[in-house]
């Protein structure tokens, strides 16, 4: 991407001090997302789920559970395409289609954020803003799509998290069992070190 982004991409959390936000992309997945929701409920952590429209249409009941559990929704495009070179009109059509898919699952869903697939933003931040969506980036990505093993993911999370960080994780797009297991282990470790979990900061 070239040029300056004219609309803010949020990558920090609300609140001060040792706070972090967990965000999950590419779901919902029929196996790993329910397990992750169990983990988050057990630890009483709210997160952001950036949903792919195709997956929403395939698994609407999981989207309903995400909302029922009190988590925040994000638009992650309809088919997880690279939008970096798309026109604003094409981006807007895709985002609207994805929002419509989410609202077929949850008619009154509040969709607060948009995250560009692959972090390839192009002109999407301005388009997202025109549709009432806040563009959501991240401060820490642990590359859990590799996947490198649960122990390594735990290490990357503990070593990489910084105060105010939005953390990029995945609950879909492949076998994410290592991510779910790592989150289950990391939350109590961070809490014991006086970390709190919150939502992303709103852009000014």
């Amino acid at each position: 991407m070239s040029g300056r982004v004219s609309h803010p991409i949020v990558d920090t959390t609300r609140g001060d001090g040792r706070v972090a936000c967990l965000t999950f992309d590419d779901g919902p997945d029929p196996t790993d997302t329910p397990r992750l929701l169990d983990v988050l409920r057990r630890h009483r952590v709210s997160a952001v789920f950036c949903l792919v429209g195709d997956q929403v249409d395939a698994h609407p009941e999981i989207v309903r559970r995400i909302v029922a559990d009190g988590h925040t929704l994000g638009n992650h495009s309809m088919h997880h395409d690279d939008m970096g070179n798309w026109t604003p009109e094409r981006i807007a059509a895709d985002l609207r289609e994805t929002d419509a898919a989410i609202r077929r699952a949850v008619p009154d869903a509040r969709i607060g954020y948009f995250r560009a697939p692959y972090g390839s933003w192009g002109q999407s931040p301005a388009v997202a803003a025109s549709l009432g969506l806040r563009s959501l980036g991240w401060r820490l990505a642990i590359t859990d799509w590799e996947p490198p093993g649960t122990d390594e993911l735990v290490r990357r999370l503990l070593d990489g998290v910084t105060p105010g960080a939005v953390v990029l994780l995945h609950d879909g797009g492949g076998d994410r069992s290592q991510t779910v297991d790592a989150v289950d282990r990391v939350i109590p470790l961070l809490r014991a070190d006086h970390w709190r979990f919150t939502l992303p900061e709103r852009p000014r």
Side-chain angles (χ1 to χ4, degrees):
M1 181 183 70
S2 61
R4 180 183 300 175
V5 174
S6 59
H7 294 267
I9 298 174
V10 177
D11 61 7
T12 56
T13 64
R14 304 173 197 180
D16 299 319
R18 290 189 172 189
V19 291
C21 173
L22 303 181
T23 68
F24 299 92
D25 284 10
D26 297 357
D29 176 87
T31 301
D32 293 319
T33 305
R35 284 191 60 231
L36 175 62
L37 290 169
D38 289 343
V39 166
L40 295 174
R41 176 182 286 182
R42 185 164 64 250
H43 293 298
R44 298 182 181 179
V45 168
S46 294
V48 180
F49 285 80
C50 297
L51 305 175
V52 174
D54 287 335
Q55 291 298 104
V56 170
D57 280 339
H59 309 290
E61 73 287 351
I62 303 178
V63 180
R64 289 191 281 271
R65 184 179 166 195
I66 291 170
V67 172
D69 281 4
H71 300 292
T72 297
L73 301 183
N75 179 321
H76 196 40
S77 83
M78 193 66 199
H79 313 293
H80 205 273
D81 295 320
D82 186 332
M83 297 180 168
N85 294 318
W86 286 17
T87 64
E89 293 77 16
R90 187 179 178 190
I91 295 167
D94 187 285
L95 268 57
R96 288 192 183 102
E97 186 182 4
T98 308
D99 279 358
I102 294 170
R103 292 194 170 109
R104 281 194 294 273
V106 184
D108 59 347
R110 295 187 60 186
I111 306 163
Y113 297 95
F114 164 70
R115 176 174 279 160
Y118 311 106
S120 183
W121 292 100
Q123 300 185 68
S124 65
V127 175
S130 75
L131 299 175
L133 299 168
R134 307 162 186 144
S135 291
L136 181 61
W138 59 87
R139 287 279 178 92
L140 173 63
I142 62 167
T143 60
D144 57 339
W145 55 84
E146 291 178 349
T150 301
D151 288 346
E152 176 62 15
L153 291 177
V154 169
R155 186 196 67 77
R156 292 178 186 179
L157 281 164
L158 294 177
D159 289 354
V161 70
T162 55
V166 172
V167 181
L168 170 62
L169 302 148
H170 293 78
D171 63 316
D175 180 356
R176 305 303 180 209
S177 58
Q178 293 180 7
T179 298
V180 176
D181 292 341
V183 168
D184 194 17
R185 286 170 52 184
V186 161
I187 290 172
L189 293 173
L190 288 176
R191 279 217 172 112
D193 203 24
H194 307 293
W195 285 82
R196 295 176 291 115
F197 297 93
T198 183
L199 292 175
E201 181 181 8
R202 295 183 180 90
R204 288 170 172 60

